[in-house]
Amino acid sequence: MTQYFDDPELGAADGWVPIREVARITGVNPVTLRAWERRYGLIVPRRTAKGHRLYDDSHVQRIQSIVSWLNRGVAVSQVKQLLDARQSINLAEHNQWGGLHDEMMRAVGGLNERQLDDAFNRALALYPPRTLCRHLLLPLLLSLEQRWHSPFGADLERAVFQSWLRTKLGTRLYHANRQHHGAPLLLLNLCEQRFEPGLWLCAWLVSSAGCPVDLLEWPVPLNELPLAIERLAPRGILLYASQPLDSGYLKRQLPRLREPTGVPLVLAGPAASIHQAELRDLAGLSLAIDPLAALELMQASLLVDGAKGYLE
């Protein structure tokens, strides 16, 4: 619901700024900001009694997130569902996590990998992976993405954090795979991103639930995956993508992965939301927007196929 200020100066004093200032900060011109509001409901500013728009820091962060999705190639009409899904991870609802979240943010900002690791280890000793993913890691990744909209220093912080996360989760996957038995879940990256945190979180959640995993971080052509299925005999395949894909190519290739084995398929990540309309009716394919939804889908489909005991 739109909120109104009787005094525009009062709004500015409380941290609310007019549209021209938001345009200066974000680089998005006022005409575009108004179109995003009217046509797509992407931004809901407050209004003065005279109808002037006012924005605060949360609006600026949302605009920067919109620009980030658009730069990835996502259509403006598809951005709202991606933003809303991510904002459902609301740290404010879980105040007990706020201090740990802030500590890890400071560690990333200080390039302090040891502090980052110590903070996470304390949480890991008390909470199961699913809880940590929902209340700590996913909100942390969202905060970092918003932080990294400012270019200076972003690449350096990203390199430190992603190196830590890959090492941390990779080590746990290695040791878990030596204890688990049976056919693995095969996880693959469909994008050219250097690192996909969501893919690693999917692998960690499934591995922590007792299922062996094979993770292929570098993109592999889908037409070569039948060879992997033949040699690895996976119990299921999880494909992860954070960017738009060639949906026509997917519709041609994905059915071939299920023939003749009928192996369960999950497409996870933002691409699942971006291509929901085109792929939701594809036989044998399930869609999951984030690692937690992917875990639930893999549990359900793998249990049907007789994997009971691995993912309970």
Side-chain angles (χ1 to χ4, degrees):
M1 177 182 295
T2 302
Q3 300 185 29
Y4 292 87
F5 286 105
D6 292 330
D7 184 351
E9 296 300 326
L10 177 61
D14 289 343
W16 296 86
V17 297
I19 193 170
R20 64 179 181 275
E21 179 64 12
V22 173
R24 184 191 67 79
I25 294 171
T26 64
V28 180
N29 67 60
V31 173
T32 300
L33 292 174
R34 295 187 190 101
W36 287 354
E37 175 190 349
R38 290 194 303 264
R39 297 180 60 184
Y40 304 106
L42 286 171
I43 311 160
V44 183
R46 291 188 176 185
R47 298 290 189 105
T48 69
K50 295 182 178 180
H52 298 298
R53 294 171 173 83
L54 293 173
Y55 303 79
D56 66 1
D57 288 343
S58 67
H59 291 111
V60 171
Q61 291 180 351
R62 186 172 176 90
I63 292 166
Q64 291 171 333
S65 295
I66 294 168
V67 173
S68 178
W69 283 118
L70 295 178
N71 288 340
R72 295 186 191 186
V74 177
V76 65
S77 61
Q78 298 175 317
V79 170
K80 190 175 188 297
Q81 60 185 338
L82 295 168
L83 293 175
D84 291 346
R86 291 197 166 200
Q87 288 190 346
S88 67
I89 306 166
N90 187 353
L91 190 65
E93 295 177 359
H94 310 286
N95 292 328
Q96 67 270 29
W97 297 97
L100 189 58
H101 169 275
D102 292 344
E103 181 180 354
M104 295 182 74
M105 287 289 290
R106 288 193 298 271
V108 174
L111 308 181
N112 192 330
E113 185 175 336
R114 181 169 182 175
Q115 181 185 354
L116 185 63
D117 198 55
D118 288 345
F120 183 72
N121 285 342
R122 292 199 305 273
L124 191 60
L126 297 174
Y127 299 101
R130 190 185 305 218
T131 302
L132 287 180
C133 187
R134 182 183 303 277
H135 298 312
L136 181 61
L137 289 179
L138 288 178
L140 180 67
L141 286 168
L142 179 58
S143 296
L144 287 172
E145 286 182 10
Q146 294 171 343
R147 176 194 185 101
W148 292 334
H149 285 306
S150 299
F152 184 77
D155 288 341
L156 184 59
E157 289 187 8
R158 186 182 289 109
V160 170
F161 177 78
Q162 292 182 349
S163 296
W164 168 79
L165 187 63
R166 178 191 275 112
T167 300
K168 191 69 178 179
L169 299 185
T171 300
R172 301 192 71 82
L173 293 179
Y174 170 79
H175 289 293
N177 274 344
R178 294 176 66 88
Q179 299 174 12
H180 300 333
H181 302 284
L185 173 67
L186 179 60
L187 298 98
L188 302 107
N189 175 23
L190 292 184
C191 292
E192 298 296 331
Q193 297 285 98
R194 289 174 292 180
F195 179 71
E196 285 283 9
L199 174 68
W200 283 85
L201 289 177
C202 288
W204 179 48
L205 289 175
V206 172
S207 175
S208 298
C211 180
V213 299
D214 282 339
L215 188 154
L216 302 182
E217 187 172 9
W218 300 106
V220 175
L222 289 180
N223 60 7
E224 293 188 13
L225 288 190
L227 181 61
I229 296 173
E230 176 186 342
R231 296 182 180 179
L232 296 175
R235 65 179 69 243
I237 297 176
L238 187 147
L239 307 168
Y240 191 92
S242 63
Q243 298 176 318
L245 303 169
D246 183 341
S247 58
Y249 178 71
L250 290 178
K251 292 175 73 171
R252 293 191 302 272
Q253 294 294 332
L254 292 181
R256 300 175 185 177
L257 299 182
R258 288 182 54 83
E259 302 171 359
T261 62
V263 60
L265 294 175
V266 171
L267 175 63
S273 180
I274 294 169
H275 297 294
Q276 181 180 12
E278 303 105 307
L279 300 178
R280 61 187 173 192
D281 296 327
L282 196 63
L285 178 68
S286 300
L287 303 174
I289 193 170
D290 64 24
L292 293 167
L295 175 64
E296 294 178 2
L297 285 174
M298 294 307 298
Q299 284 180 313
S301 60
L302 293 181
L303 286 173
V304 168
D305 289 344
K308 190 174 181 62
Y310 285 98
L311 289 175
E312 289 184 318

